[in-house]
Amino acid sequence: MQKVALLCGSLRKDSYNKALLEFVKANFGKEIDMFFVDYSQLPYFNEDIETPYPTEVRAMLDTLQDIDAVVMSMPEYNHSIPGAFKNALDWLSRREKPLAGKPVLLMGASTGPVGTSRGQNHLRLSLNAPGMQCLVMPGNEILVGAAKSKFENGQLTDESTIEFIGNVWKKFEKWVKIAPKWMEE
Ligand code: FNR
């Protein structure tokens, strides 16, 4: 695993989900090119403007060349996928499909008690669509509920969550090696 894209489902500056991805980068990304994908400036997806790709979409696609894996951390908005994030996924599902066949690890933090479980289920469905074809690691749900009590000053501090994510990451390293073979001819 050499190049890993980090996709945060929240655009909020002090996002807990961004903090979760920062945790992953700091702890598991030292020897890896691990980078955040900026989708904040994308236009609303509209088939009337998709060809040629708008400049902002082209720029996002360029950052996703040759990635080995993707880590997504997403809140749930009204039990589902935040609109701006879904818009980015819809752009990523067209023509070049840079996430197709890529191993994906899902995470989510919410201030509510169930830690994005409803939104994450919707995300799993979308990532399984023919336009996406993501190889989402099964099970191993990272659902960080009651986020206000698990972060301090923008840092994940909850010990059991830290230990759980560490164990899931070891499995993800294996998944990144074996999952893409499924797509090979
Ligand atoms: C929320 N929030 C929320 N929380 C939850 O557990 N279930 C939900 O369905 C929703 N719905 C929802 C809708 C909208 C529009 C907002 C703005 C918020 C609360 C959410 O978990 C909280 O704002 C998180 O802090 C958002 O994640 P970030 O921005 O910290 O990553």
Side-chain angles (χ1 to χ4, degrees):
M1 183 162 29
Q2 291 174 341
K3 191 173 174 188
V4 177
L6 304 175
L7 274 159
C8 181
S10 168
L11 298 176
R12 198 167 74 85
K13 184 165 56 70
D14 297 326
S15 158
Y16 292 117
N17 287 278
K18 189 169 154 214
L20 268 187
L21 292 172
E22 294 283 11
F23 172 85
V24 166
K25 192 166 191 268
N27 286 276
F28 315 122
K30 290 194 186 88
E31 322 247 307
I32 300 175
D33 176 12
M34 221 181 234
F35 61 95
F36 281 87
V37 177
D38 180 11
Y39 62 87
S40 61
Q41 302 304 314
L42 299 183
Y44 290 135
F45 180 81
N46 177 342
E47 284 184 78
D48 293 340
I49 61 161
E50 68 171 326
T51 309
Y53 286 123
T55 314
E56 299 83 354
V57 178
R58 182 69 265 158
M60 175 177 70
L61 292 168
D62 287 346
T63 65
L64 290 166
Q65 301 293 319
D66 307 320
I67 52 168
D68 299 304
V70 182
V71 183
M72 296 184 188
S73 189
M74 187 194 82
E76 62 178 20
Y77 280 0
N78 301 307
H79 300 183
S80 192
I81 303 170
F85 191 54
K86 181 63 163 54
N87 184 54
L89 295 179
D90 289 339
W91 277 112
L92 291 170
S93 73
R94 305 292 283 180
R95 303 210 298 285
E96 288 188 19
K97 300 183 176 65
L99 305 191
K102 303 298 178 187
V104 176
L105 175 65
L106 297 187
M107 315 170 78
S110 72
T111 51
V114 295
T116 79
S117 70
R118 296 157 294 204
Q120 204 173 107
N121 278 339
H122 288 193
L123 181 59
R124 281 177 191 265
L125 275 181
S126 274
L127 296 179
N128 194 38
M132 300 300 302
Q133 295 184 50
C134 291
L135 306 178
V136 179
M137 185 162 74
N140 297 288
E141 295 174 313
I142 299 176
L143 304 169
V144 183
K148 279 182 192 162
S149 66
K150 295 180 181 157
F151 293 81
E152 276 170 41
N153 302 318
Q155 304 262 336
L156 178 65
T157 49
D158 184 69
E159 284 303 327
S160 63
T161 305
I162 289 170
E163 189 184 346
F164 182 71
I165 293 174
N167 289 333
V168 172
W169 186 261
K170 283 185 206 137
K171 293 183 200 167
F172 188 58
E173 286 177 330
K174 286 189 196 161
W175 181 247
V176 171
K177 285 188 193 139
I178 59 171
K181 294 188 197 301
W182 182 81
M183 299 287 276
E184 286 170 10
E185 289 183 23

